[in-house]
């Protein structure tokens, strides 16, 4: 429905939960399998805090494929997928069927409790639609901060300006995602790291896993003790 979006705007789209409906989530699942999921696992399996973790939240986890992969790399891990109720019921529970170490939390991140006692909160391409200003982003990160154990990690896999515009294909990708996903701002890696520090985190590592069709960076930060 790209032509309708361009000509008439998002308000004319009739899909019930646009853009985060079943079609969108399944497309994100396909992209994860082809591009970012293997690279993310390669990074995390070398992070000792991940290997030692017992409880992880896949925030805005949608299809749940990351949660499944996390529990296969770390067999002592219990993973929780948080997303909208209709995403959990119509997509995640079908993909993650019969995986004992993955459970679900249905809710709206902007309104509902996301749980607590996590060793790691992982979020992939999720924060921007919920926080396009720095103040909103800080509110989002503060909520994540409260859900983590002391010394827990936030693992953020998002696009950043300095990764998105390395070539023309990446720039076109960003434009398309902004149209269909409603995200209208991207921070540079440096800006995002500064917001993390202002939100009570200490920077641990940054990994560039970008390609032309998935211009992402993984930023890992640790919750500072009170």
């Amino acid at each position: 429905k790209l032509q309708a979006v361009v000509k008439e705007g998002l308000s004319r789209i009739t899909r019930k939960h646009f853009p985060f409906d079943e079609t969108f989530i399944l497309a994100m699942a396909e992209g994860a399998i082809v591009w970012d999921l293997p690279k993310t696992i390669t990074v995390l399996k070398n992070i000792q805090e991940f290997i030692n973790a017992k409880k992880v939240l896949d925030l805005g986890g949608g299809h749940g494929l990351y949660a499944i992969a996390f529990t296969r790399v770390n067999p002592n891990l219990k993973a929780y997928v948080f997303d909208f109720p209709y995403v959990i019921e119509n997509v995640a529970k079908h993909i993650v069927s019969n995986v004992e170490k993955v459970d679900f939390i249905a809710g709206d991140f902007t309104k509902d409790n996301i749980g607590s006692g996590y060793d790691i909160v992982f979020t992939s391409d999720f924060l921007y639609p919920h926080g396009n200003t720095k103040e909103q982003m800080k509110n989002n990160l503060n909520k994540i901060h409260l859900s983590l154990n002391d010394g827990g990690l936030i693992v953020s896999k998002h696009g950043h300006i300095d990764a998105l515009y390395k070539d023309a294909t990446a720039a076109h990708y960003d434009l398309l995602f902004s149209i269909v996903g409603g995200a209208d701002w991207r921070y540079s890696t440096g800006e995002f790291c500064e917001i993390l520090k202002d939100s009570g985190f200490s920077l641990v590592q940054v990994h560039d896993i970008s390609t032309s069709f998935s211009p992402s960076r993984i930023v890992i930060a640790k919750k500072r003790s009170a």
Side-chain angles (χ1 to χ4, degrees):
K1 298 181 184 271
L2 181 58
Q3 289 184 348
V5 173
V6 172
K7 291 180 179 179
E8 304 175 36
L10 288 173
S11 62
R12 299 300 299 274
I13 295 297
T14 57
R15 282 154 55 186
K16 184 176 181 181
H17 299 297
F18 184 86
F20 301 110
D21 59 10
E22 182 178 358
T23 302
F24 184 91
I25 300 299
L26 290 176
M28 294 294 285
E30 292 176 355
I33 292 170
V34 174
W35 296 314
D36 291 344
L37 178 54
K39 292 183 179 182
T40 300
I41 293 301
T42 297
V43 169
L44 290 182
K45 70 182 182 181
N46 292 310
I47 303 296
Q48 193 60 46
E49 289 90 343
F50 175 78
I51 298 303
N52 295 337
K54 297 294 190 293
K55 185 178 180 181
V56 63
L57 176 66
D58 185 0
L59 184 59
H63 44 73
L65 293 177
Y66 283 97
I68 294 173
F70 294 160
T71 61
R72 290 183 176 176
V73 175
N74 178 353
N76 297 316
L77 192 63
K78 176 71 175 182
Y80 295 83
V81 177
F82 181 98
D83 216 311
F84 291 119
Y86 59 85
V87 174
I88 296 296
E89 292 299 323
N90 296 325
V91 183
K93 285 188 176 180
H94 295 283
I95 294 178
V96 193
S97 60
N98 300 318
V99 181
E100 293 182 0
K101 293 185 178 181
V102 178
D103 211 339
F104 309 96
I105 303 174
D108 182 336
F109 176 66
T110 63
K111 303 174 184 177
D112 299 322
N113 188 354
I114 62 173
S116 61
Y118 299 113
D119 299 305
I120 294 174
V121 172
F122 173 77
T123 174
S124 171
D125 302 315
F126 171 79
L127 288 175
Y128 292 137
H130 295 284
N132 293 329
T133 69
K134 287 188 177 181
E135 194 59 38
Q136 288 172 315
M137 181 67 80
K138 287 180 180 179
N139 290 338
N140 294 343
L141 292 173
N142 287 337
K143 192 168 188 176
I144 294 171
H145 188 275
L146 289 171
S147 76
L148 282 164
N149 294 324
D150 285 346
L153 299 183
I154 177 174
V155 179
S156 163
K157 188 203 75 65
H158 286 82
H160 297 282
I161 290 173
D162 37 340
L164 286 164
Y165 291 98
K166 289 195 298 185
D167 60 48
T169 303
H172 295 159
Y173 172 95
D174 181 49
L175 175 61
L176 179 61
F177 191 85
S178 296
I179 292 172
V180 301
D184 56 8
W185 180 251
R186 296 291 186 275
Y187 299 97
S188 70
T189 307
E191 287 176 319
F192 183 71
C193 290
E194 286 303 313
I195 297 173
L196 280 169
K197 292 176 183 178
D198 290 342
S199 303
F201 293 94
S202 299
L203 185 64
V204 176
Q205 295 178 9
V206 176
H207 297 267
D208 190 346
I209 62 168
S210 61
T211 64
S212 295
F213 293 99
S214 184
S216 297
R217 284 181 176 159
I218 294 175
V219 178
I220 303 173
K222 180 178 292 188
K223 177 179 178 177
R224 294 196 297 265
S225 300

